[in-house]
């Protein structure tokens, strides 16, 4: 009996330790669950409008000749004349694009000997209130008026994007608040925000005149479609602790 008592005394600390571990064994998971923050993710949308004060204009020059070099020389001479005119009007960012030179083809799809076509685009940007420059350019023997696209200035787009972003954040917060109020919770903290790229659709007024968009019949002062406004849209994703 005395040996059993001594053995019990020696094992008692170990027994108590085992009992304590068994008792507390389930606490870490429970504690972890209780300390895990509650999160929700919402996406807010915002939009704003920027006035289109600029006009991006694309013109086309085409010509024909009996040799590639001759044809290119004709197109280039006329292009130089238009570019010179535009620069004299203080038009900036004038550039030539889509330079093309190729033989003409007959109805059978075969190239016609000694017959070439040349083409070149001229693009420039002017104030939407200064469309008289377009009349001057057309008067220098332009073949085609491809398009007129009205756009907002960079500063106007930046301002509109800021307003749209603020609206998107407010929209996301409002959605979260409405849902949490219904469930009896409240917003504690916005822990993360992701701003998606702003969507800025173009505002085009593509002016056409028949299948080949030829503007031989263009008359000075002919009305041009109004520009309007450019829409800027922004989406934000909010991660919210509640």
């Amino acid at each position: 009996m005395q040996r059993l008592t001594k053995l019990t005394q020696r094992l008692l600390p170990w027994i108590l330790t085992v009992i304590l571990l068994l008792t507390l064994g389930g606490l870490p998971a429970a504690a972890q669950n209780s300390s895990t923050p509650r999160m929700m993710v919402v996406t807010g949308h915002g939009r704003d409008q920027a006035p289109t004060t600029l006009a991006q204009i694309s013109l086309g020059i085409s010509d024909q000749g009996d040799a590639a070099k001759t044809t290119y020389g004709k197109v280039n001479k006329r292009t130089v004349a238009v570019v010179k005119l535009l620069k004299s009007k203080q038009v900036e960012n004038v550039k030539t694009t889509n330079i093309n030179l190729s033989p003409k083809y007959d109805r059978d799809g075969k190239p016609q000997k000694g017959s070439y076509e040349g083409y070149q685009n001229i693009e420039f940007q002017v104030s939407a209130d200064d469309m008289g420059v377009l009349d001057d350019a057309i008067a220098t023997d332009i073949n085609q008026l491809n398009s007129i696209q009205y756009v907002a200035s960079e500063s106007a787009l930046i301002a509109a994007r800021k307003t749209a972003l603020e609206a998107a954040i407010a929209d996301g917060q409002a959605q979260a608040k409405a849902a949490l109020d219904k469930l009896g919770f409240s917003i504690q903290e916005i822990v993360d925000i992701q701003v998606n790229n702003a969507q800025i659709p173009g505002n085009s007024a593509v002016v056409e005149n028949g299948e080949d968009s030829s503007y031989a019949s263009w008359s000075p002062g002919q009305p041009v479609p109004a520009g309007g406004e450019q829409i800027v849209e922004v989406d934000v994703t909010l991660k919210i602790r509640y």
Side-chain angles (χ1 to χ4, degrees):
M1 183 67 179
Q2 190 173 7
R3 288 183 60 188
L4 181 59
T5 301
K6 290 182 178 180
L7 180 60
T8 301
Q9 291 175 345
R10 291 176 58 187
L11 293 177
L12 184 60
W14 294 101
I15 295 172
L16 292 176
T17 300
V18 171
I19 293 173
L20 182 63
L21 289 175
L22 290 174
T23 303
L24 299 178
L27 287 181
Q32 184 178 6
N33 290 335
S34 63
S35 62
T36 300
R38 294 186 296 262
M39 296 290 180
M40 72 178 300
V41 176
V42 295
T43 297
H45 180 76
R47 60 179 287 167
D48 194 36
Q49 297 177 336
T52 53
T53 57
L54 301 173
Q56 291 182 342
I57 301 173
S58 174
L59 305 175
I61 295 176
S62 62
D63 215 322
Q64 301 178 7
D66 56 6
K69 184 176 181 180
T70 303
T71 304
Y72 177 74
K74 289 181 179 181
V75 174
N76 186 62
K77 182 179 180 180
R78 291 168 58 187
T79 301
V80 170
V82 175
V83 171
K84 183 178 180 180
L85 169 70
L86 293 173
K87 289 187 175 180
S88 72
K89 300 289 185 179
Q90 283 76 52
V91 175
E92 299 181 355
N93 300 322
V94 181
K95 61 181 180 180
T96 56
T97 61
N98 296 338
I99 301 173
N100 183 55
L101 183 64
S102 62
K104 292 184 67 177
Y105 292 87
D106 57 26
R107 293 181 179 180
D108 297 329
K110 296 180 180 180
Q112 298 178 13
K113 187 176 181 180
S115 184
Y116 290 84
E117 290 182 323
Y119 179 83
Q120 186 161 287
N121 269 5
I122 300 175
E123 296 178 358
F124 59 96
Q125 186 179 82
V126 294
S127 169
D129 297 328
D130 190 21
M131 296 301 290
V133 174
L134 176 60
D135 292 330
D136 295 335
I138 294 294
T140 61
D141 201 17
I142 292 292
N143 296 90
Q144 294 178 325
L145 172 55
N146 299 321
S147 66
I148 301 174
Q149 183 178 30
Y150 293 94
V151 297
S153 66
E154 187 66 26
S155 59
L157 289 175
I158 291 174
R161 187 180 187 278
K162 179 181 178 182
T163 301
L165 177 59
E166 292 172 350
I169 294 173
D171 178 50
Q173 289 178 302
Q175 290 184 58
K177 186 177 185 304
L180 293 175
D181 285 349
K182 192 71 175 179
L183 298 172
F185 296 104
S186 60
I187 296 175
Q188 299 298 318
E189 180 185 15
I190 298 176
V191 298
D192 186 57
I193 178 171
Q194 179 179 337
V195 181
N196 302 326
N197 292 331
Q199 301 297 318
I200 308 175
N203 186 6
S204 298
V206 179
V207 185
E208 298 180 351
N209 182 24
E211 295 181 358
D212 61 354
S213 300
S214 175
Y215 262 69
S217 61
W218 178 272
S219 60
Q222 183 170 330
V224 177
E229 296 177 319
Q230 231 175 327
I231 305 299
V232 180
E233 297 183 279
V234 178
D235 289 330
V236 298
T237 300
L238 304 177
K239 188 174 183 181
I240 298 173
R241 181 172 65 84
Y242 65 93

